[in-house]
């Protein structure tokens, strides 16, 4: 975590859609990039559900239906996948609830659920200000405030410290309440406290951590409940404990529990003598507890004043949501006007990056030409840009400096909500945009048009992993080609489409039916149909630390310059292969071990780029300008160099957020195309028929003459593959002029199932012109988790 002085808070000032009215006592959860807010109060209790898309800066009101719950405040609110549970809360002044509602966010469908009562004892009484925490298939309810009076106008508060367990059914519904028998001293009764559940990765049982709250006086105690032994304890901590508080938020990111805001005693107040009659005020202090070391760290102290409005002002009853390693804070109350007997609520939205972003996936090739690459990489959540770099063994036209380090991006300020050009820094290479609609094709040929105003929430986001397909030598004579993943011909990348279950390596796209979006409303969906396909132009992908394949996901943005037609789910994996005998190799194709100067291609807002040039640093000189708090090159002062045909280039990319630049990705290597050879076939599709499957494709976008024939190959099972899974053996299953073929059930019975990422059957397709065969498109047809290929 950055030091307190280096925290880079961002206030979101540019957004669209119906912004909810300011409030306090509301709750929020995150489903992927969506922040979903419900309830709260300010001049009446709110009953609407609001959604904020953090990726597009859009607010929207989903059209909910079903058993819509009444508005409530200070309720329990947890998220399990794409379903949300709401328990209890205040429904009107003095009247509290103990009802349980479930929201299926995939359909925005509310349902009132009735859990079975405990075997012994009563179910939870109506309450507010309780904690309601999810771990696995259980929710844990602790404490809160009840009203002892039957008259809602005559509020007789009773603080609670009871503890309940709610067992959930998978997907939807609940089983019932139980009252676990706990050991040790139980925390004192309280309300408006927080609770998070954390489990160490390598060892240990899950533990629930309860902090602070209110019980006549505000509390600063920390309690731990081991959820396996059901033992309460009070852990010893190091560092400065935050002031006693209530109505604060606690957010878990990694092994840290972040505490922000809340009501605290007035400065100089004798905390020991605190009572419910004491003066109290809001705070903007910010601390975290390392749950592995039990040490508190103060990031913003209670005494630090903010005269520049550079961080959220003091508040309580706000909401906080963690999306990735970024914390979002919205609304809350920042004071109380006694004369008016009213709350003063904030309406501002802030976020804070808690650590530098992780390394993106390897750079993946979408398409290569003789003098450009269209590349992408997996999207990293909640970042503000990406630094793309390359190097090559060709001598540069300008002498580079010795430093190969990336510029220091600590605290770089960008506008993550800027529309339009992908490139953030002036004069960097911008990406190209395809305005064509993207259609997601399902297995049975059902086409679902997807033109979202918001990013669709689905496990079947389009994916592209760059891998590489081969140029098979002697296509006409060979029946079985040995193609090793660490040596093989360059490939030509156009992203195609697959219906059904495909996954394609650097030649690989994968398809999956994605969610539909109606109007300005996003549907959160479960995963639909899997497929992948993609291809590669002149791709030689190497991982300098390991030549093994990898499997990481990335979302193909709707604005990606992909071939018109359909994209579903695309996955590609890097694999370097030998150059074909029919393809003249360039002298620089074999990369030397000499470490070259990394040159900037530019800083990009999105996870795609069209690369035709890169920037050179003058000998012994770096032209630097200030961007925010960071030193980055002033690209307008640097010379540019064009890409050269038939040349290998290494790429790496790093993500940038408010904490600076993160680590670089593993290195990928691609080769620009050699003029004269055909490109790779594109838009691969797979559909089932009575004979087996129907495999089809589109001709190369750059045939470089007449296409004489196509060849399709299937990876088959052999003893060699069993001994060395990194080595694939391909059998040619088709050769001809047609752009489709039938793969019989008998041929599929001999197919090798590749487990380098998700289980898949691997195909390769390439085209031949007068000069010879060009690069191939490799397709991985996803097979689920079965060990055997199946057409079912």
């Amino acid at each position: 975590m950055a030091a307190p002085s280096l925290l880079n808070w961002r206030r979101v000032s540019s957004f669209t859609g119906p912004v909810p009215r300011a409030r306090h006592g509301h709750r929020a959860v995150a489903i992927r990039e969506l922040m979903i807010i419900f309830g709260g109060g300010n001049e009446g209790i709110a009953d609407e559900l609001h959604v904020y898309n953090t990726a597009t800066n859009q607010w929207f009101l989903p059209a909910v239906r079903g058993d819509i719950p009444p508005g409530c405040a200070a309720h329990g609110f947890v998220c399990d996948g794409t379903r949300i549970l709401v328990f209890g809360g205040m429904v009107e002044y003095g009247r509290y609830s103990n009802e349980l509602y479930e929201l299926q966010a995939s359909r925005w469908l509310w349902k009132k659920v009735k859990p079975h009562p405990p075997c012994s004892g009563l179910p939870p009484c109506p309450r507010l200000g309780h904690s309601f925490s999810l771990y696995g298939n259980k929710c844990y309810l602790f404490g809160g405030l009840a009203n002892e009076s039957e008259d809602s106008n005559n509020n007789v508060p009773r603080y609670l410290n009871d503890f309940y367990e709610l067992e959930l059914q998978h997907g939807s519904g609940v089983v019932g309440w139980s009252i676990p028998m706990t050991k040790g001293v139980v925390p004192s009764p309280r309300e408006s406290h927080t609770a998070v559940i954390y489990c160490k990765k390598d060892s240990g049982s899950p533990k629930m951590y309860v902090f602070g709250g209110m019980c006549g006086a505000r509390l600063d105690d920390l309690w731990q409940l081991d959820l396996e032994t059901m033992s309460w304890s009070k852990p010893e901590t190091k560092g400065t404990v935050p002031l006693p508080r209530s109505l604060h938020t606690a957010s878990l990111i990694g092994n840290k529990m972040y505490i922000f805001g809340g009501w605290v005693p007035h400065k100089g107040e004798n905390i020991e003598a605190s009572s419910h009659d004491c003066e109290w005020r809001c705070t903007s202090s910010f601390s975290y507890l390392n749950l592995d070391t039990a040490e508190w760290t103060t990031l913003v102290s209670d005494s630090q004043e903010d005269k520049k409005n550079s961080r959220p002002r003091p508040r309580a009853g706000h909401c906080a949501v963690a999306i990735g390693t970024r914390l979002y804070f919205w609304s809350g109350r920042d004071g109380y006007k006694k004369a008016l007997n009213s709350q003063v609520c904030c309406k501002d939205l802030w976020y804070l990056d808690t650590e530098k972003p992780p390394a993106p996936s390897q750079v993946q090739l979408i398409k290569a030409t003789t003098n450009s690459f269209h590349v992408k990489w997996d999207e990293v959540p909640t970042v503000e840009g990406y630094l793309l770099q390359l190097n090559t063994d060709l001598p540069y036209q300008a002498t580079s400096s010795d430093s190969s380090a990336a510029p220091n991006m600590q605290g770089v300020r960008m506008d993550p909500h800027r529309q339009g050009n992908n490139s953030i820094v002036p004069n960097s290479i911008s990406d190209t945009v395809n305005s064509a609609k993207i259609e997601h094709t399902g297995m049975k040929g059902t086409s679902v048009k997807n033109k979202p105003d918001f990013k669709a929430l689905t496990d079947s986001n389009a994916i592209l992993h760059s891998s590489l397909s081969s140029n098979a030598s002697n296509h006409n004579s060979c029946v079985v080609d040995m193609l090793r993943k660490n040596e093989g011909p360059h490939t030509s990348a156009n992203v195609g489409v697959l219906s059904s279950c495909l996954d394609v390596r650097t030649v690989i796209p994968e398809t999956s039916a994605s969610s539909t979006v109606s109007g300005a409303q996003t549907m959160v969906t479960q995963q639909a149909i899997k497929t992948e396909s993609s291809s590669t132009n002149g791709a030689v992908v190497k991982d300098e630390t390991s030549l093994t394949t990898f499997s990481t996901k990335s979302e193909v943005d709707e604005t990606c310059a992909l071939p018109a037609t359909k994209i579903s789910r695309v996955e590609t994996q890097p694999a370097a292969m030998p150059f074909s005998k029919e393809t003249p190799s360039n002298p620089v194709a074999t990369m030397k071990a000499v470490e070259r100067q990394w040159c900037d291609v530019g800083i990009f807002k999105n996870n795609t780029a069209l690369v035709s040039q890169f920037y050179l640093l003058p000998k012994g000189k770096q032209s630097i300008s200030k961007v925010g708090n960071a030193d980055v090159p002033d690209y307008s002062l640097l010379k540019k160099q064009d890409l050269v045909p038939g040349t290998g280039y290494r790429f790496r990319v790093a993500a940038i957020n408010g904490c600076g630049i993160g680590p670089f990705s593993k290195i990928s290597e691609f080769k620009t195309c050699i003029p004269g050879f055909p490109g790779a076939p594109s838009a691969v599709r797979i559909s089932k028929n009575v004979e087996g499957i129907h495999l089809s494709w589109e001709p190369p976008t750059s045939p470089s003459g007449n296409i004489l024939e196509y060849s399709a190959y299937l990876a088959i099972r052999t003893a060699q593959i069993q001994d060395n899974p990194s080595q694939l053996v391909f059998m040619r299953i088709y050769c001809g002029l047609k752009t489709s073929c039938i793969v019989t059930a008998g041929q599929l019975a001999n197919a090798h199932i590749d487990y380098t990422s998700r289980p898949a059957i691997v195909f390769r397709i390439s085209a031949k012109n007068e000069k010879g065969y060009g690069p191939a498109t490799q397709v991985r047809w996803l097979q689920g988790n079965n060990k055997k290929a199946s057409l079912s």
Side-chain angles (χ1 to χ4, degrees):
M1 180 69 194
S5 59
L6 298 177
L7 290 179
N8 285 287
W9 294 92
R10 304 283 204 272
R11 179 172 180 174
V12 181
S13 56
S14 174
F15 40 74
T16 59
V19 180
R21 73 177 190 266
R23 64 192 65 190
H24 61 94
H26 53 291
R27 299 289 187 261
V29 294
I31 300 180
R32 300 184 184 93
E33 71 270 22
L34 297 189
M35 179 171 70
I36 300 173
I37 296 170
F38 181 68
N42 183 22
E43 299 178 0
I45 293 178
D47 60 358
E48 68 274 7
L49 189 80
H50 287 269
V51 180
Y52 176 71
N53 188 317
T54 61
T56 61
N57 282 353
Q58 293 169 303
W59 287 99
F60 69 98
L61 278 163
V64 296
R65 54 198 176 91
D67 305 324
I68 300 173
C72 56
H75 47 288
F77 200 54
V78 297
C79 178
D80 175 30
T82 58
R83 70 166 161 178
I84 296 170
L85 294 169
V86 180
F87 174 75
M90 181 172 69
V91 292
E92 62 183 49
Y93 179 78
R95 189 165 73 86
Y96 309 151
S97 167
N98 63 347
E99 294 179 337
L100 181 68
Y101 288 85
E102 175 186 273
L103 172 69
Q104 289 290 343
S106 58
R107 304 186 299 277
W108 299 122
L109 178 65
W110 283 107
K111 178 184 176 183
K112 186 175 182 178
V113 291
K114 296 182 178 180
H116 293 298
C119 295
S120 60
L122 298 174
C125 65
R127 67 189 65 203
L128 62 72
H130 47 283
S131 59
F132 195 54
S133 309
L134 173 76
Y135 189 83
N137 69 330
K138 293 180 180 177
C139 289
Y140 297 93
L141 169 69
F142 175 72
L145 181 70
N147 184 2
E148 290 286 84
S149 172
E150 295 182 2
D151 180 7
S152 61
N153 293 319
N154 181 27
N155 197 359
V156 179
R158 176 167 65 95
Y159 295 97
L160 305 170
N161 66 344
D162 49 357
F163 178 62
Y164 286 85
E165 186 178 85
L166 175 66
E167 184 177 353
L168 310 181
Q169 291 177 346
H170 179 71
S172 178
V174 297
V175 178
W177 294 106
S178 62
I179 305 175
M181 295 294 293
T182 61
K183 306 170 189 174
V185 178
V186 178
S188 59
R190 66 193 62 208
E191 58 102 1
S192 297
H193 55 283
T194 55
V196 302
I197 299 177
Y198 171 70
C199 184
K200 289 185 179 180
K201 289 183 179 179
D202 300 330
S203 62
S205 58
K207 295 178 176 60
M208 183 171 78
Y209 293 87
V210 174
F211 177 72
M214 174 73 174
C215 183
R218 279 163 182 80
L219 306 169
D220 64 352
D221 50 350
L222 176 72
W223 292 85
Q224 173 184 287
L225 175 65
D226 188 310
L227 295 179
E228 283 190 2
T229 64
M230 286 295 166
S231 300
W232 284 104
S233 61
K234 203 169 180 182
E236 297 275 341
T237 61
K238 297 170 283 188
T240 303
V241 178
L243 286 177
R245 66 191 61 212
S246 62
L247 294 170
H248 54 287
T249 53
S251 306
L252 185 67
I253 297 180
N255 65 347
K256 298 180 179 67
M257 178 177 72
Y258 290 89
I259 302 294
F260 176 76
W263 290 112
V264 296
H266 254 303
K267 293 177 184 176
E269 179 183 328
N270 184 348
I271 296 173
E272 297 296 329
S274 293
S275 71
H276 63 278
D277 294 322
C278 283
E279 293 289 330
W280 32 261
R281 60 186 175 82
C282 289
T283 182
S284 60
S285 57
F286 186 42
S287 303
Y288 71 78
L289 175 67
N290 185 315
L291 297 174
D292 289 336
T293 63
E295 182 171 6
W296 287 102
T297 299
T298 302
L299 299 170
V300 177
S301 70
D302 196 67
S303 60
Q304 283 180 265
E305 293 186 9
D306 179 29
K307 297 179 180 178
K308 298 181 180 179
N309 296 319
S310 60
R311 66 173 185 264
R313 67 183 190 263
R315 66 192 63 209
H318 53 285
C319 69
V321 161
I323 297 179
T325 58
R326 176 176 288 180
L327 271 175
Y328 282 85
F329 303 93
W330 183 72
S331 200
R333 56 182 178 183
D334 70 347
Y336 179 75
K337 292 183 178 178
K338 192 170 183 179
L340 301 176
N341 192 29
S342 65
Q343 307 290 341
V344 180
C345 288
C346 321
K347 200 176 183 177
D348 48 352
L349 174 64
W350 293 78
Y351 68 84
L352 175 73
D353 290 309
T354 60
E355 58 188 60
K356 291 182 180 181
S361 66
Q362 286 177 288
V363 176
Q364 305 146 23
L365 184 63
I366 295 174
K367 182 178 179 180
T369 68
T370 55
N371 58 3
S372 71
F373 296 112
H374 185 189
V375 297
K376 74 177 300 296
W377 48 91
D378 290 355
E379 196 173 56
V380 178
T382 63
V383 298
E384 298 177 5
Y386 301 91
L387 172 63
L388 180 64
Q389 293 186 331
L390 65 72
N391 74 22
T392 180
D393 286 330
L394 275 184
Y396 298 147
Q397 293 175 358
T399 304
S400 301
S401 67
D402 293 333
S403 171
S404 62
N408 175 16
M409 300 297 295
Q410 174 69 47
V412 60
R413 278 193 178 269
M414 301 177 184
D415 183 0
H417 315 297
R418 173 177 163 185
Q419 303 295 320
N421 197 333
N422 178 32
S423 178
I424 294 175
V425 175
N427 300 315
S428 65
I429 309 296
S430 64
D431 67 331
T432 58
V433 174
N434 184 0
S435 60
K437 295 179 184 177
I438 294 178
E439 293 180 356
H440 296 260
T441 304
M443 218 152 130
K444 297 184 180 178
T446 304
S447 178
V448 183
K449 290 188 179 180
N450 185 1
K451 191 179 181 183
D453 291 326
F454 309 93
K455 287 193 175 180
L457 287 176
T458 162
D459 288 336
S460 55
N461 288 332
I463 298 187
L464 188 70
H465 298 204
S466 167
S467 100
L468 145 121
S469 74
S470 73
N471 247 359
S473 307
N474 305 318
H475 268 53
N476 293 327
S477 60
C478 110
V479 178
V480 177
D481 287 330
M482 300 293 292
L483 293 173
R484 293 175 175 80
K485 292 182 181 176
N486 62 343
E487 43 179 54
H490 54 282
T491 53
S492 170
N494 287 322
V495 176
V497 197
L498 299 168
S499 28
S500 82
C501 284
L502 291 187
D503 134 352
V504 187
R505 309 188 181 188
T506 288
V507 266
I508 349 181
E510 157 184 346
T511 356
S512 257
S514 191
S515 62
T516 58
V517 181
S518 175
Q521 180 175 325
T522 305
M523 300 293 289
V524 183
T525 68
Q526 302 292 341
Q527 180 164 346
I529 301 169
K530 304 173 186 173
T531 343
E532 301 182 7
S533 103
S534 137
S535 35
T536 54
N537 274 355
V540 179
V541 186
K542 284 186 179 179
D543 168 358
E544 288 195 348
T545 60
S546 167
L547 288 173
T548 58
T549 57
F550 71 103
S551 174
T552 50
K553 294 186 177 181
S554 81
E555 192 173 305
V556 174
D557 195 274
E558 191 184 48
T559 59
C560 244
L562 301 173
T565 70
K566 312 169 179 84
I567 295 284
S568 256
R569 197 170 178 86
V570 180
E571 179 177 306
T572 59
Q573 294 179 327
M577 303 178 197
F579 297 110
S580 165
K581 294 177 183 176
E582 301 178 68
T583 306
S585 60
N586 189 286
V588 299
T590 304
M591 291 299 177
K592 302 172 185 176
V594 179
E595 180 64 25
R596 282 277 182 174
Q597 164 78 34
W598 285 97
C599 297
D600 289 3
V601 176
I603 298 177
F604 297 87
K605 179 182 175 183
N606 298 319
N607 62 326
T608 180
L610 181 64
V611 182
S612 60
Q613 297 176 319
F614 56 94
Y615 293 93
L616 301 174
L617 294 175
K619 183 178 180 180
K621 183 180 180 182
Q622 284 187 316
S623 300
I624 299 296
S625 66
K626 285 278 184 181
V627 176
N629 298 326
D631 289 335
V632 296
D634 181 353
Y635 292 116
S636 65
L637 302 177
L638 300 181
K639 293 182 180 180
K640 292 185 279 189
Q641 180 164 316
D642 295 331
L643 302 190
V644 179
T647 302
Y649 294 90
R650 301 181 190 92
F651 284 87
R652 67 180 187 179
V653 65
I656 304 165
N657 68 10
C659 290
I661 184 169
F664 278 97
S665 66
K666 293 179 180 178
I667 295 168
S668 300
E669 184 180 327
F670 311 118
K671 187 179 180 183
T672 47
C673 293
I674 300 172
F677 288 84
S682 63
V684 182
R685 296 173 181 84
I686 290 180
S687 58
K688 299 176 185 176
N689 63 19
V690 292
E691 299 177 65
I693 63 169
H694 182 257
L695 182 65
S696 65
W697 56 89
E698 297 293 332
T701 54
S702 53
S704 300
N706 295 323
I707 298 298
L708 302 180
E709 66 182 27
Y710 296 94
S711 283
Y713 287 82
L714 169 67
I716 59 172
R717 290 195 306 271
T718 67
Q720 292 153 312
I721 293 184
Q722 292 175 358
D723 296 337
N724 183 7
S726 66
Q727 176 177 285
L728 295 181
V729 176
F730 284 82
M731 176 179 73
R732 186 160 63 182
I733 54 175
Y734 171 78
C735 181
L737 267 173
K738 290 184 178 180
T739 56
S740 66
C741 68
I742 298 295
V743 186
T744 67
Q747 290 171 323
L748 289 171
N750 295 318
H752 165 67
I753 306 297
D754 180 36
Y755 287 93
T756 53
S757 57
R758 287 168 291 181
I761 293 174
V762 183
F763 297 95
R764 286 178 179 166
I765 306 162
S766 59
K768 180 182 179 181
N769 64 9
E770 294 86 348
K771 199 164 185 178
Y773 271 96
T777 293
Q778 176 172 297
V779 178
R780 303 182 71 245
W781 183 30
L782 298 183
Q783 298 299 301
N785 295 321
N786 297 328
K787 287 285 180 181
K788 293 184 178 180
S790 172
L791 291 178
S792 60

